[in-house]
Amino acid sequence: MQFDLGVSQQVEAVYTSADVVEQRRVVRAALALRPGDRVLDIGVGPGLLAAEMAAEVGPDGRICGIDISESMLAIAATRAEVAGGPTIELELASAGRIPHAAESFDVVVSTQVFEYIEDVAGALEEVRRVLRPGGRVVLLDTDWDSLVWRSSDDERMRRVLTAFEQHLADPHLPRTFDDVLTKAGFTVTHLQAVPLLNARYDERSYSAGLIDIVAGFVPGRDKVTDVEAKAWADDLRGLGSGYFFSLNRYLFVASAL
Ligand SMILES: C[S@@+](CC[C@H](N)C(=O)[O-])C[C@H]1O[C@@H](n2cnc3c(N)ncnc32)[C@H](O)[C@@H]1O
């Protein structure tokens, strides 16, 4: 998926929903940041987590964010100044080549990013390089097989979701991540499911925003047409109190020896 300006703005909007605010609360609890911590956020996106972390590490801490999308970095830059925190340092760079010296960070965090990365082992090698000995990494990704989304047309829903999986390098990363992290030399110290649940249609919810992102991505893929994508979206929006959406993120905390 290209995180151009339009998609970046859509992601920013869904990431300000109460569902994702709650997800960030869970991530920050797992991060357990202390004043003065030096943190790298890989795939910093719209900078919402980075800004929250800046307030936690305080003026003696350091928050750096990298991303491969200039549009995302431009949005994150609007949040770079945080009262009581360090200025967030933002750079255009990929997880596969982190522009920081060895052992520069106490903590590395990356939420909803590794599922987009082709060479996960290479990125984890970079994470290990920039973490100080004993530093920790917090990763959160979705297993898209955990998705339960009610529709009036199950066959169309299946095709739309199969087409949407093409926006990721690995839509099922969490099920292998413990293994992958261990092979990369990390010790997984904590693992938890982070559910998102919308049991009725609400246009301010995460999944209502996701409808637009999916409907924008799938036309022309797996034979899904524009007309079908629109009908799929209209169907979901029309379900009202019969609407149902549930999806699991998975959170991993691991330490580098
Ligand atoms: C779904 S957004 C998540 C943004 C942010 N981490 C959050 O949770 O709010 C995915 C982000 O990962 C970035 N990204 C994808 N592949 C990347 C890579 N190889 N290196 C760095 N960033 C990457 C995208 O540009 C996008 O900003």
Side-chain angles (χ1 to χ4, degrees), residues 49-133:
L49 178 63
E52 292 175 9
M53 294 191 299
E56 288 185 333
V57 300
D60 297 332
R62 187 175 183 207
I63 303 288
C64 298
I66 61 168
D67 205 293
I68 54 170
S69 159
E70 296 199 22
S71 306
M72 282 295 199
L73 287 169
I75 295 173
T78 66
R79 303 194 161 90
E81 299 299 331
V82 174
T87 297
I88 299 168
E89 301 166 49
L90 297 166
E91 266 183 282
L92 185 67
S94 166
R97 197 159 179 186
I98 299 174
H100 289 281
E103 302 185 10
S104 328
F105 297 101
D106 303 299
V107 180
V108 173
V109 62
S110 191
T111 60
Q112 290 295 113
V113 178
F114 270 69
E115 61 198 67
Y116 292 91
I117 295 176
E118 296 285 350
D119 181 8
V120 169
L124 287 176
E125 212 170 291
E126 277 291 86
V127 171
R128 250 166 74 84
R129 182 182 66 77
V130 299
L131 269 179
R132 68 160 168 79

Side-chain angles (χ1 to χ4, degrees), residues 10 16 22 27 58 64 76 79 82 85-86 88 107 111 126 154 163 177 187 189 197 204 206 214 236 243:
Q10 283 179 317
T16 53
E22 169 60 14
V27 169
C64 298
R79 303 194 161 90
V82 174
I88 299 168
V107 180
T111 60
E126 277 291 86
D154 289 341
F177 221 4
T187 304
T189 55
L197 176 65
R204 295 159 304 175
Y206 166 77
V214 173
L236 265 59
Y243 183 83

Side-chain angles (χ1 to χ4, degrees), residues 9-68:
Q9 285 170 337
Q10 283 179 317
V11 169
E12 181 189 30
V14 292
Y15 281 16
T16 53
S17 66
D19 303 302
V20 186
V21 170
E22 169 60 14
Q23 173 188 299
R24 278 195 297 280
R25 191 194 60 73
V26 174
V27 169
R28 283 190 291 106
L31 282 163
L33 295 179
R34 288 176 295 229
D37 274 343
R38 300 161 302 162
V39 186
L40 172 67
D41 187 344
I42 298 177
V44 63
L48 292 153
L49 178 63
E52 292 175 9
M53 294 191 299
E56 288 185 333
V57 300
D60 297 332
R62 187 175 183 207
I63 303 288
C64 298
I66 61 168
D67 205 293
I68 54 170

Side-chain angles (χ1 to χ4, degrees), residues 28-250:
R28 283 190 291 106
L31 282 163
L33 295 179
R34 288 176 295 229
D37 274 343
R38 300 161 302 162
V39 186
L40 172 67
D41 187 344
I42 298 177
V44 63
L48 292 153
L49 178 63
E52 292 175 9
M53 294 191 299
E56 288 185 333
V57 300
D60 297 332
R62 187 175 183 207
I63 303 288
C64 298
I66 61 168
D67 205 293
I68 54 170
S69 159
E70 296 199 22
S71 306
M72 282 295 199
L73 287 169
I75 295 173
T78 66
R79 303 194 161 90
E81 299 299 331
V82 174
T87 297
I88 299 168
E89 301 166 49
L90 297 166
E91 266 183 282
L92 185 67
S94 166
R97 197 159 179 186
I98 299 174
H100 289 281
E103 302 185 10
S104 328
F105 297 101
D106 303 299
V107 180
V108 173
V109 62
S110 191
T111 60
Q112 290 295 113
V113 178
F114 270 69
E115 61 198 67
Y116 292 91
I117 295 176
E118 296 285 350
D119 181 8
V120 169
L124 287 176
E125 212 170 291
E126 277 291 86
V127 171
R128 250 166 74 84
R129 182 182 66 77
V130 299
L131 269 179
R132 68 160 168 79
R136 61 197 190 283
V137 58
V138 174
L139 301 164
L140 175 111
D141 283 282
T142 304
D143 190 320
W144 288 86
D145 270 358
S146 68
L147 176 57
V148 180
W149 211 350
R150 186 177 176 191
S151 161
S152 309
D153 184 335
D154 289 341
E155 196 275 330
R156 183 178 62 203
M157 175 61 97
R158 190 186 50 71
R159 282 191 306 112
V160 166
L161 294 181
T162 302
F164 187 58
E165 285 194 354
Q166 288 181 27
H167 87 289
L168 298 160
D170 184 351
H172 310 120
L173 179 61
R175 68 185 68 176
T176 57
F177 221 4
D178 193 334
D179 219 15
V180 169
L181 281 160
T182 305
K183 287 194 177 111
F186 290 90
T187 304
V188 176
T189 55
H190 179 73
L191 170 51
Q192 92 181 76
V194 183
L196 293 166
L197 176 65
N198 299 145
R200 57 176 35 84
Y201 183 77
D202 178 344
E203 62 183 21
R204 295 159 304 175
S205 67
Y206 166 77
S207 65
L210 185 62
I211 292 173
D212 294 325
I213 294 174
V214 173
F217 181 82
V218 296
R221 298 173 200 268
D222 279 2
K223 299 191 181 146
V224 179
T225 63
D226 275 324
V227 173
E228 276 181 306
K230 184 173 180 315
W232 169 84
D234 288 346
D235 170 48
L236 265 59
R237 289 195 197 101
L239 288 173
S241 60
Y243 183 83
F244 187 90
F245 170 94
S246 168
L247 179 68
N248 285 345
R249 316 284 206 204
Y250 295 87

